[in-house]
Amino acid sequence: MPFRVATEGGEARPSLVLVNSAVAAPDDADALADVDTAAAWFDAVASALPPGELGDDLGVDAESLDALRQVRGAVRQILLDRPRASSLAVVNRYDTESAPSWGLDLDGRGELQVRRRLWGPGVESWLGTVAADCIDLVRSGGRDRITTCATPTCQVVLVPEHHRRRYCSPACAHRTRQSRYQQGRATRS
Ligand SMILES: [Zn+2]
């Protein structure tokens, strides 16, 4: 099942990837509608990340689906709405307890290594990353620049990296330019 999972640009921020999961399944359906759909979507999210970022345990069960939905609701409210204390508590807790960090290690020959330290399985550590990213969006002022894709039928939210970047994807920009062109032709003829 092809999911829309941004791998680059301003909508690739983990917190927005989670918010955009609401329209990431085919026909703009919710990628967190059920366990099977969520598992396939999370596979797509994980495979867009560098190897080792989330460990090997990428399974989604009923409990981790609940967690994904809970954090999505909290992040959505914080970034796009008037936040409530309960949402802040969810994000702060995942940031503190689950966000992956870097640690130092020695390999078999005593050489210094930097290694990803994961606090929990795939979904949980990714939600930690999401929480940290959500806090960073508020701290950096990125929250104030969040906007919806300029294609009227598209509900993907993004942080434009440049003032001119208003579309979530080249495909959306192309579609909108083409329909403007066709409208222009229709009014001229
Ligand atoms: Zn779009």
Side-chain angles (χ1 to χ4, degrees):
M1 198 188 290
F3 290 96
R4 198 165 46 197
V5 178
T7 53
E8 56 186 41
E11 77 280 18
R13 310 243 353 187
S15 51
L16 297 187
V17 169
L18 182 58
V19 169
N20 287 331
S21 69
V23 292
D27 298 325
D28 295 340
D30 186 357
L32 302 184
D34 55 66
V35 170
D36 288 343
T37 313
W41 169 81
F42 190 63
D43 264 348
V45 171
S47 57
L49 296 172
E53 187 71 13
L54 298 177
D56 300 325
D57 184 357
L58 299 175
V60 176
D61 57 13
E63 201 183 321
S64 48
L65 177 58
D66 276 349
L68 283 162
R69 287 180 180 153
Q70 188 198 24
V71 178
R72 181 172 73 182
V75 168
R76 209 194 135 75
Q77 197 187 66
I78 291 167
L79 296 180
L80 303 173
D81 213 333
R82 184 191 292 241
R84 273 193 292 241
S86 55
S87 300
L88 309 190
V90 168
V91 165
N92 285 337
R93 180 163 57 81
Y94 272 96
D95 175 60
T96 308
E97 294 178 5
S98 307
S101 59
W102 295 103
L104 296 177
D105 214 347
L106 296 175
D107 69 8
R109 290 174 302 165
E111 299 286 338
L112 194 56
Q113 300 276 316
V114 180
R115 189 164 291 172
R116 209 65 168 134
R117 293 197 294 180
L118 301 170
W119 313 110
V123 168
E124 199 175 319
S125 54
W126 188 69
L127 288 176
T129 304
V130 165
D133 181 61
C134 175
I135 293 170
D136 184 62
L137 273 173
V138 176
R139 192 179 62 84
S140 65
R143 175 182 183 268
D144 304 328
R145 294 187 289 119
I146 293 174
T147 179
T148 307
C149 172
T151 296
T153 51
C154 180
Q155 299 166 64
V156 170
V157 291
L158 62 143
V159 187
E161 288 177 327
H162 314 289
H163 286 303
R164 291 173 56 201
R165 189 161 181 279
R166 297 155 48 235
Y167 297 97
C168 70
S169 61
C172 254
H174 179 73
R175 213 182 333 151
T176 302
R177 255 183 251 124
Q178 207 163 39
S179 75
R180 282 217 193 102
Y181 173 73
Q182 275 156 5
Q183 273 169 10
R185 273 168 66 106
T187 43
R188 274 198 300 275
S189 60

